Amino acid sequence: MRIRVRRKDEGHGGGRRPASRLRGWGGVSAMAAACAVTAAAVLLPLAHAAPEAAHPAVVRQPAPVGAAPQTPWTLTDTCQDPEASLRPSAVDGPAIERIRKAGKLVAGVDQNSFKWGYRNPVDGRLDGFDIALVKAIAKDILGDENAVIYRAVPTSQRIPALQDGRVDVVVRTMTINCKRLEEVAFSTAYFEAGQQVLAPKGSPITGYDPSLKGRRICTAAGSTAEAALKAQSYGAVPVSVPNQLDCLVRLQLGEVDGIITDNALAAGQAAQDPSVRLVGSPFTREFYGVAMNKEATDLVRRVNKVLENYRAGGDNSPWMQAYVTHLKPVLPGVAGPPAPKYRDG
């Protein structure tokens, strides 16, 4: 299934030059119609927002990544063990009580990242690995996995949405790093990824290296990919967009020459469009975490408790079941979740 999203400035005639890679987009109109029917009931735009298992978890240590230049967050991250989070606890606190009183968990998610947070073309419902984790959190706190208000949050609005109280959690392939820890709190890591380059098949781009010189390279605003390109551009021409899917659309239109993004996201994009591929090696090691307001320490501990149970059970764990269902077809070979790290205080 390849998903084509029409941009606002596209016409149906209008003289825009066709892109050679735009082909095979059948069924998109039906999917869009299904999404429109369910969008109001399932997902609210951010602008309208209001404020232990029996078996041990099978977790993996970080896998090695290819040799690459030191990245900007490696240079600037001075905190020790940014992936270390508060120890898990099921004790209720003010944040948990507020969520229970509201009767809903308000979750900031993506609806355009294939296999992570996206509209399932069969029924138009939100689906994906991140959505499965949101449901597990809601089930634990509220006793109902469907007691969720989903809000579409652009990459650049993830932190402001938490700081302003418009969402309770952000579960949106969000990398844990020291800079972000100054503004929000994170759970323990629930997935390991790395930055990599996505380019059309046959492109002279070979990875995050001098082959980017003079090429238009797209990143999502506020992403670690954008930070990487600012720190070391290799002569590339940066193009910044609000959401990651916008980069794929621009690549398909021939408006950019490549994309830098998490390889976990890029694998889904490559599955949507077989005319593109990942090139080079991952040049960072990054860990996704559930982001929350810094003051909501009881919620952080509760989410970490949920993640303990989510990882437990080996091949039968909820984490592995979600991986097999959503990610294995596009990102095979993942043995299990990253091992959690904890800190006191």
Side-chain angles (χ1 to χ4, degrees), residues 135-160:
K135 290 181 177 180
I137 296 170
K139 174 71 173 177
D140 183 86
I141 296 175
L142 297 166
D144 179 2
E145 69 172 22
N146 295 313
V148 182
I149 296 174
Y150 294 102
R151 302 205 187 280
V153 183
T155 305
S156 60
Q157 289 298 306
R158 293 177 297 189
I159 289 176

Side-chain angles (χ1 to χ4, degrees), residues 43 60 97 141 185 189 196 204 212 217 223 234-235 258 284 311 329 338:
L43 184 98
R60 61 191 175 91
E97 290 175 1
I141 296 175
Q196 200 166 347
L212 297 179
I217 303 300
S223 66
Y234 286 110
T284 66
R311 298 182 188 100

Side-chain angles (χ1 to χ4, degrees), residues 107-111 113-118 126-137 150 158 169-174 190-191 265 288-290 310 319 322-323 326-327:
V109 298
D110 198 354
Q111 62 174 337
S113 291
F114 189 50
K115 296 299 183 180
W116 288 92
Y118 73 109
L126 279 171
D127 203 358
F129 190 82
D130 280 346
I131 304 303
L133 180 52
V134 171
K135 290 181 177 180
I137 296 170
Y150 294 102
R158 293 177 297 189
V169 296
V170 168
V171 188
R172 196 187 181 284
T173 59
M174 190 168 179
Y190 68 85
F191 201 87
L265 287 173
Y288 298 158
V290 178
Y310 204 65
W319 190 98
Y323 165 73
H326 300 291
L327 297 180

Side-chain angles (χ1 to χ4, degrees), residues 76-282:
T76 58
D77 278 5
T78 56
C79 63
Q80 187 175 6
D81 287 333
E83 294 86 29
S85 184
L86 296 174
R87 295 189 181 278
S89 173
V91 175
D92 292 349
I96 298 294
E97 290 175 1
R98 175 177 50 76
I99 293 168
R100 285 210 175 117
K101 184 177 180 179
K104 298 284 186 179
L105 176 73
V106 184
V109 298
D110 198 354
Q111 62 174 337
N112 294 317
S113 291
F114 189 50
K115 296 299 183 180
W116 288 92
Y118 73 109
R119 290 288 181 186
N120 191 313
V122 175
D123 56 15
R125 295 180 181 274
L126 279 171
D127 203 358
F129 190 82
D130 280 346
I131 304 303
L133 180 52
V134 171
K135 290 181 177 180
I137 296 170
K139 174 71 173 177
D140 183 86
I141 296 175
L142 297 166
D144 179 2
E145 69 172 22
N146 295 313
V148 182
I149 296 174
Y150 294 102
R151 302 205 187 280
V153 183
T155 305
S156 60
Q157 289 298 306
R158 293 177 297 189
I159 289 176
L162 287 166
Q163 292 176 325
D164 297 345
R166 289 175 281 168
V167 297
D168 299 314
V169 296
V170 168
V171 188
R172 196 187 181 284
T173 59
M174 190 168 179
T175 300
I176 305 166
N177 62 37
C178 292
K179 180 175 175 57
R180 289 173 177 167
L181 282 169
E182 295 174 359
E183 301 177 292
V184 296
F186 280 99
S187 70
T188 53
Y190 68 85
F191 201 87
E192 180 183 344
Q195 294 293 317
Q196 200 166 347
V197 179
L198 187 72
K201 292 179 179 177
S203 167
I205 296 174
T206 57
Y208 184 63
D209 57 35
S211 67
L212 297 179
K213 185 175 182 179
R215 308 291 175 183
R216 298 160 299 175
I217 303 300
C218 189
T219 61
S223 66
T224 48
E226 183 185 49
L229 201 60
K230 285 180 179 178
Q232 173 58 278
S233 71
Y234 286 110
V237 179
V239 177
S240 180
V241 296
N243 282 300
Q244 186 56 47
L245 187 64
D246 298 335
C247 281
L248 182 60
V249 173
R250 288 190 179 227
L251 188 65
Q252 291 161 343
L253 290 170
E255 296 178 354
V256 299
D257 303 304
I259 301 169
I260 297 178
T261 186
D262 299 353
N263 58 355
L265 287 173
Q269 292 177 346
Q272 291 173 256
D273 186 348
S275 70
V276 301
R277 64 188 179 97
L278 286 163
V279 294
S281 300

